[in-house]
Structure formats: structure tokens, C-alpha cells
Amino acid sequence: KAVRIASSLVKQQPNAAGLQYLLGIARARQGDAAGARTAFEAALKLDAAYAAPAVSLAGLDIDQGAYDQAAARLNAVLARDEKNIDALGEFGRLAERRGQLVEAQRWFEKADDHSPAGNLQPGLGLVEFYLRNNNPDAAVDATKRLAAKAPDAIPVLLITARARLASGDAVMAKSSLARATALAG
């Protein structure tokens, strides 16, 4: 349904880079990587300085193993905005895919450092990175930073429970889950 609506909007306003980007996101979530790539490229043709489609194209490149192309796209975005948290996070994902875990951690931490108070995604991504790479103590430390930003956010409480379970602290995991349950009603 989202692809149909976004396609309709693009037909109405074919020169709107934001709508092309929206269509790309809808197609990507539908599993249509080729269609997403076409829409993201169309958005960039309309507005070469629009960072979001470039980052999304880099994400597709990473998924398809075109690591050098992804790095070039991300470097171009960061040359214009060195604090673009989406590009920083994708660089972390790229480094992790390449097996460069120290470098990946640096990129994920940098994305988290530059994220505004209301944006939890970089912090959640950092915790996920630690959990994927069997570093539960670092994951627990990263959840403390998230909790300082948003102590009552259900995603923060849930990932805190996962990190606590991974570190062997079932009591604190249960406490986080109980709090999340109470907040969710």
C-alpha cells in the first residue's frame, strides 16, 4: 500500500526529491532493492545535496557487497556534514561487514555521540552491535547512556533487559521488563 501511495505522489510531483526518496524507502521495505535504488538515484538527480538517498544507496551497496562504492557515497555525505548520524551509523555497519570491529565500534559510538536527545536509534544500534559481538558489559554501559536520554522509552527498557540477560543479570533484566510492561499498560 505504501508503494502505491508513494508512486501516486511521485506521479503528481515528479520533480520532488523527497517523494522519490519516500518511494525508495517504501520499495526497500517491500524487498524491492532494484526499485528502491532507482527511486533513490532519481532523488539524487533532483537534489544532489540530499543526504538521505545517498545514505540509503550506501546501505543498499553494503547489502549487495559493494563496499568500496558504499564507502565513497558515505564519505561524500560526511564531507558535507561530518555529523550526519545516519552516514556514521552506515559506516559502522560497513566496517562490521568488513570484519573491522574496532573501526565499526568507533563509527557506532560517533553516531551515538552526535545524536540529539530525542533520537535513540544510534544508541540502540550501538547496543545491538555490542550484543552481536558478544560484549555484554559494553552493551550494559551503552544502555545506561540511553536510559539517561529516555528513561521511560520502551525500546530502551527492552534493550536494557536484553543486555542485562546477556551479562547474566536476570534480576535487572526482570526489573526493566516489569517497568516496560507497566509503561505499555
Side-chain angles (χ1 to χ4, degrees), residues 56-158:
S56 294
L57 281 168
L60 290 174
D61 292 339
I62 292 167
D63 292 342
Q64 296 171 349
Y67 299 148
D68 292 339
Q69 187 171 341
R73 288 185 202 278
L74 294 171
N75 278 323
V77 170
L78 292 176
R80 289 190 304 270
D81 176 11
E82 66 184 19
K83 295 181 180 181
N84 184 303
I85 57 173
D86 295 325
L88 294 169
E90 282 299 302
F91 247 129
R93 198 165 75 90
L94 173 61
E96 186 175 10
R97 282 281 182 92
R98 286 180 161 170
Q100 303 165 335
L101 298 184
V102 172
E103 188 72 8
Q105 178 180 335
R106 186 179 70 81
W107 285 110
F108 284 125
E109 287 174 348
K110 195 170 183 180
D112 188 37
D113 288 344
H114 292 301
S115 66
N119 188 344
L120 301 176
Q121 282 310 121
L124 293 168
L126 179 60
V127 176
E128 291 284 357
F129 167 76
Y130 287 136
L131 290 174
R132 276 192 309 274
N133 291 286
N134 199 29
N135 193 346
D137 293 336
V140 168
D141 287 343
T143 63
K144 291 175 185 173
R145 187 169 170 177
L146 273 170
K149 280 185 174 184
D152 293 329
I154 292 174
V156 171
L157 293 167
L158 294 177

Side-chain angles (χ1 to χ4, degrees), residues 22-73:
L22 179 67
L23 177 59
I25 293 294
R27 286 184 171 159
R29 293 212 175 138
Q30 185 184 44
D32 179 7
R37 182 175 295 280
T38 299
F40 293 145
E41 288 172 347
L44 281 177
K45 284 180 186 173
L46 293 168
D47 183 356
Y50 191 10
V55 172
S56 294
L57 281 168
L60 290 174
D61 292 339
I62 292 167
D63 292 342
Q64 296 171 349
Y67 299 148
D68 292 339
Q69 187 171 341
R73 288 185 202 278

